[in-house]
Amino acid sequence: MNDIAFKRHRRLRSSASMRALVRENYLRADDFIYPMFVIEGEGIKNEVPSMPGVYQVSLDLLLDEVKEVYDLGIKAIMFFGVITAKDEIGTGAYIDDGIVQKATRLVKKEFPDLLIVADTCLCEYTSHGHCGVIHENDVDNDESLKLLAKTAVSQAKAGADIIAPSNMMDGFVAVIRHALDEAGFTHIPIMSYAVKYASAFYGPFRDAADSAPQFGDRKTYQMDPSNRLEALREAQSDIEEGADFIMVKPALSFLDIIRDVRNHVQTPVVAYNVSGEYAMVKAAAQNGWIDEKSVVLEMLTSMKRAGADIILTYFAKDVAKWLKEEN
């Protein structure tokens, strides 16, 4: 066949060592942010039924959970609060002794070099489950911004290293940046949920955080999954307003959007591998339909290949353990 011209691509796949030599994308524990649900009470470690291996943990048990994450080499965690006493304006989000504020102070004291990312939203704390103040059966954008700014400052005072607003109100980055600067937190970066779609993949999270909307949906402030160019407009405006990171959520169904964003921005890009994506893999693995490790590594690598610098994922501990075993 020497007279037929064709390429010998298999030369670079001939052995495990050869494949490793030319590999373009790697997963590392440093790539991950691990989400954690902190619940009021004592002695509580509730496994989320739709998210095997993910727990709601009370403050008295939190340090043991965080130590496991820390010892695996994961450098960042994100806190979500789970409370019972909710109200119309989400007071629990921004009071100084809120559950996330308490968790932040506790963990920073014991693990000062662990990055704490604070989810900055109201939905976990409002009685109606929406991400802002309700006025005439709709979320009032500008009134909500005032409370989101208070939440961000409260979280920064508690010791949060990164503020991550997820509410999708217009102008949320600008208002939060201004509030942080006015309060003396000019050094605290903002990880904007800039490109957050109104996705069907959030169901298990809403069980874990008890944050499902009590009426209607979030389609007036989260993005239409059919839209692509809108993502670039959202990302660009947030950068102009002061965002230091740009997040795309969800990740798996929006790999094209991650690549688009990566091609258009110079800030770090974060992919949120959301609860529904996690739950699907766990369910299939428990039924013996897939090899969980292989699928998870392939899935998360696809997010890195698409352009994500950082991955927020409930698989962080599992992958960190697998990577340690390989080394």
Side-chain angles (χ1 to χ4, degrees):
M1 299 188 65
N2 290 337
D3 59 337
I4 302 176
F6 58 88
K7 304 294 184 181
R8 297 283 183 178
H9 298 291
R10 291 180 57 192
R11 291 171 183 155
L12 302 186
R13 306 174 193 149
S14 59
S15 67
S17 296
M18 183 68 76
R19 292 190 294 274
L21 182 67
V22 299
R23 187 161 294 139
E24 299 174 28
N25 293 281
Y26 285 88
L27 293 172
R28 306 172 303 155
D30 289 351
D31 295 330
F32 303 132
I33 301 171
Y34 183 61
M36 303 187 74
F37 298 94
V38 189
I39 192 170
E40 294 177 324
E42 294 183 355
I44 300 173
K45 186 177 178 180
N46 295 331
E47 186 171 32
V48 180
S50 55
M51 300 177 70
V54 174
Y55 297 86
Q56 299 171 330
V57 181
S58 56
L59 288 171
D60 56 317
L61 303 180
L62 182 61
L63 289 179
D64 288 340
E65 296 296 309
V66 172
K67 186 177 187 303
E68 180 187 10
V69 175
Y70 185 85
D71 289 346
L72 286 168
I74 297 167
K75 299 296 195 301
I77 58 176
M78 178 179 280
F79 281 140
F80 297 96
V82 184
I83 67 171
T84 53
K86 304 184 180 190
D87 59 31
E88 288 289 309
I89 56 174
T91 305
Y94 47 84
I95 54 175
D96 288 340
D97 62 346
I99 187 69
V100 166
Q101 288 81 352
K102 287 180 179 178
T104 300
R105 286 191 288 266
L106 178 68
V107 171
K108 288 304 289 187
K109 183 177 179 180
E110 295 297 321
F111 303 95
D113 59 330
L114 182 67
L115 291 175
I116 295 181
V117 185
D119 176 73
T120 305
C121 197
L122 302 179
C123 63
E124 298 138 67
Y125 310 95
T126 55
S127 53
H128 46 74
H130 279 282
C131 302
V133 178
I134 299 299
H135 179 66
E136 295 183 354
N137 220 36
D138 189 25
V139 177
D140 187 315
N141 192 92
D142 294 3
E143 286 301 310
S144 300
L145 291 177
K146 299 174 185 177
L147 299 184
L148 293 165
K150 289 179 63 175
T151 301
V153 171
S154 176
Q155 292 168 337
K157 285 180 178 178
D161 298 286
I162 300 171
I163 298 301
S166 59
N167 52 87
M168 287 297 285
M169 296 296 109
D170 289 338
F172 68 97
V173 173
V175 170
I176 288 173
R177 182 73 272 161
H178 178 76
L180 290 172
D181 292 350
E182 286 286 298
F185 296 108
T186 58
H187 61 291
I188 298 293
I190 294 175
M191 180 181 289
S192 172
Y193 286 65
V195 184
K196 181 177 180 181
Y197 285 91
S199 171
F201 283 97
Y202 301 152
F205 173 89
R206 292 173 182 174
D207 291 339
D210 189 24
S211 63
Q214 298 304 299
F215 66 90
D217 53 41
R218 295 175 177 154
K219 293 181 180 179
T220 65
Y221 46 103
Q222 295 178 1
M223 291 171 50
D224 185 339
S226 300
N227 292 354
R228 184 175 185 176
L229 296 178
E230 183 182 8
L232 300 180
R233 297 197 297 272
E234 288 278 2
Q236 186 59 42
S237 64
D238 282 12
I239 289 171
E240 291 171 359
E241 292 172 16
D244 301 282
F245 304 80
I246 294 295
M247 185 186 295
V248 177
K249 178 184 180 183
L252 193 59
S253 293
F254 297 91
L255 294 175
D256 59 325
I257 305 302
I258 295 173
R259 170 46 57 187
D260 283 346
V261 171
R262 172 72 286 160
N263 288 343
H264 284 82
V265 306
Q266 297 180 5
T267 59
V269 175
V270 185
Y272 194 156
N273 176 213
V274 299
S275 60
E277 298 166 354
Y278 175 89
M280 289 192 305
V281 172
K282 284 291 184 180
Q286 288 181 347
N287 279 285
W289 298 335
I290 61 171
D291 178 88
E292 181 177 350
K293 177 180 176 181
S294 298
V295 167
V296 170
L297 293 177
E298 183 176 330
M299 182 170 66
L300 297 186
T301 299
S302 76
M303 298 169 197
K304 289 293 294 290
R305 191 180 65 245
D309 302 290
I310 302 161
I311 303 174
L312 180 60
T313 179
Y314 303 95
F315 286 115
K317 289 196 300 183
D318 293 334
V319 177
K321 290 174 185 175
W322 297 332
L323 295 176
K324 276 183 175 287
E325 291 168 1
E326 291 177 0
N327 295 329

